[in-house]
Amino acid sequence: IYEAAGKHCVEVASHRHGCCVLQRCIDFASAQQRTELVAEIAKHALHLSQDAFGNYVVQYVLELGHAESSRAIMNRLVGHYPELSTQKFSSNVVEKCLKSGGLDPERQVIVREVLSSPLLPRLLQDSYGNY
């Protein structure tokens, strides 16, 4: 089950019920299985963050509090934070990234990227980006 979940994590995470199944797989996986699942999720974090259901899986991994996993996701999103901040689903992922504890260098990258973006004036007025 875990191998199939990892192999098809984008399809599973992007499904209304699949996102919950993938979260439970993470909960009940062995350490090795969890590492592999989270690595696949991190690999596809940019796509999943923008998905109506996939964003919940990315947020879930960020909430686990594992620095390595969170760092992998945050690094995968570098270069896209201003755009992601203005989208309904991914803006929640960006917020979780900024609230991730113990990852000050990664958070500083996000802040610098947003502050130096030509999209900053739009972000300040955007219904999602202004958070």
Side-chain angles (χ1 to χ4, degrees):
I1 291 174
Y2 295 104
E3 186 179 323
K7 187 175 181 180
H8 302 284
C9 84
V10 173
E11 294 88 345
V12 175
S14 300
H15 186 272
R16 174 185 300 244
H17 301 295
C19 66
C20 297
V21 170
L22 198 53
Q23 290 174 31
R24 294 304 72 79
C25 285
I26 292 168
D27 288 342
F28 294 102
S30 68
Q32 179 64 33
Q33 291 167 328
R34 183 177 303 112
T35 299
E36 291 170 7
L37 277 173
V38 168
E40 273 306 301
I41 292 163
K43 181 176 159 184
H44 300 285
L46 181 58
H47 173 77
L48 292 174
S49 294
Q50 298 173 75
D51 183 79
F53 302 108
N55 81 90
Y56 291 112
V57 175
V58 176
Q59 289 183 65
Y60 188 78
V61 173
L62 290 167
E63 290 171 345
L64 291 174
H66 298 122
E68 295 272 328
S69 304
S70 296
R71 187 174 293 112
I73 288 171
M74 293 165 81
N75 288 337
R76 191 58 96 163
L77 302 178
V78 168
H80 303 279
Y81 282 107
E83 301 157 10
L84 294 172
S85 297
T86 63
Q87 297 172 19
K88 182 176 182 175
F89 307 119
S90 57
S91 64
N92 294 313
V93 173
V94 173
E95 185 176 352
K96 288 275 193 263
C97 289
L98 288 168
K99 291 180 176 181
S100 291
L103 297 167
D104 290 336
E106 287 76 13
R107 287 196 308 241
Q108 288 174 7
V109 167
I110 298 169
V111 171
R112 278 194 298 269
E113 183 177 330
V114 170
L115 289 177
S116 66
S117 171
L119 295 177
L120 182 60
R122 184 174 142 214
L123 282 170
L124 295 173
Q125 308 234 330
D126 186 84
S127 59
Y128 300 112
N130 67 14
Y131 283 99

